[in-house]
Amino acid sequence: MDLLKWFVSSLEVIPRVKYLSLGPLVDEFRALLTEQLDMNTEALNLKKLREDFQGHKHVFFPEPFYSTSDILIEQFIDGIPIRTFMTRDTKEKHTEAETDQRLKLSKIGMDAVFSMVFMNNFVHADLHPGNLLVTTAPGEDRPQIAILDAGMAVQLEPTNHVKLLGILMAFVKVSTLKPPLS
């Protein structure tokens, strides 16, 4: 981080670069990275997300067993990376069962994000395919998604959460009133 800070301060000697305010950006990046690397923060985030999704049939988070600022011991999740179910080639043929599985996983993922944003106001802020594992419920055939790496999470102040919900609902209302763009 010190090297990055030095590099940015060296660049800010250039007049036009100075207006980009890269110094404060590096400071913010340092603060976010420091917080994400604190394993106690991740353990607390996992506990909160586990509470929020308690009883959810399709989404779960690993249980943290022990943490310090440098160490986190958590439940091992045996699953398949969700990337396995994704494809970039839309011309690739899928069996009906594969397509059904992909649709189920998409719905589970959307439900999880909507629950975090709309219901819980506590959002896992590092959702990418590397943090999602597909498993099956013990003794059942229904898919589940395990969400890993909860080092970054966002919670809005209640008034800002209400404002965000209002904005999102306005988008929904407008998009149902107007025909889609061509």
Side-chain angles (χ1 to χ4, degrees):
M1 277 300 164
D2 291 334
L3 182 61
L4 182 60
K5 185 74 172 172
W6 173 84
F7 181 70
V8 165
S9 63
S10 298
L11 281 178
E12 287 182 331
V13 173
I14 302 168
R16 289 191 176 184
V17 173
K18 191 176 203 174
Y19 292 108
L20 296 176
S21 300
L22 295 176
L25 187 64
V26 169
D27 293 338
E28 176 130 358
F29 179 69
R30 176 194 304 245
L32 284 172
L33 192 58
T34 301
E35 184 178 349
Q36 184 181 11
L37 293 175
D38 184 342
M39 297 295 108
N40 285 321
T41 299
E42 181 162 350
L44 290 172
N45 290 346
L46 282 171
K47 287 177 185 175
K48 171 73 170 117
L49 289 162
R50 284 176 59 82
E51 285 175 19
D52 289 348
F53 281 84
Q54 186 175 12
H56 196 288
K57 292 181 179 181
H58 299 287
V59 176
F60 69 100
F61 297 82
E63 180 181 358
F65 298 124
Y66 173 80
S67 71
T68 67
S69 60
D70 298 320
I71 297 169
L72 173 61
I73 299 171
E74 64 183 44
Q75 174 186 8
F76 174 76
I77 307 294
D78 188 15
I80 302 167
I82 201 161
R83 188 177 309 253
T84 305
F85 299 89
M86 299 164 53
T87 182
R88 286 188 169 76
D89 185 1
T90 56
K91 296 177 185 175
E92 185 178 324
K93 297 290 182 191
H94 297 283
T95 66
E96 190 174 327
E98 288 171 332
T99 300
D100 185 49
Q101 180 80 335
R102 290 162 51 100
L103 286 171
K104 284 179 185 176
L105 293 173
S106 296
K107 288 178 183 176
I108 292 168
M110 284 181 15
D111 180 54
V113 171
F114 288 165
S115 292
M116 285 187 258
V117 172
F118 293 109
M119 304 301 293
N120 305 330
N121 186 24
F122 193 77
V123 180
H124 185 298
D126 195 17
L127 287 173
H128 59 79
N131 285 339
L132 304 173
L133 294 178
V134 177
T135 66
T136 53
E140 298 182 32
D141 191 28
R142 80 180 139 81
Q144 290 184 311
I145 295 179
I147 303 178
L148 313 175
D149 188 10
M152 287 194 304
V154 177
Q155 184 169 21
L156 296 176
E157 293 294 324
T159 54
N160 290 337
H161 185 240
V162 170
K163 289 176 186 175
L164 173 67
L165 295 178
I167 291 167
L168 294 174
M169 292 307 295
F171 278 118
V172 170
K173 287 178 184 175
V174 168
S175 67
T176 58
L177 297 175
K178 295 183 178 179
L181 298 175
S182 302

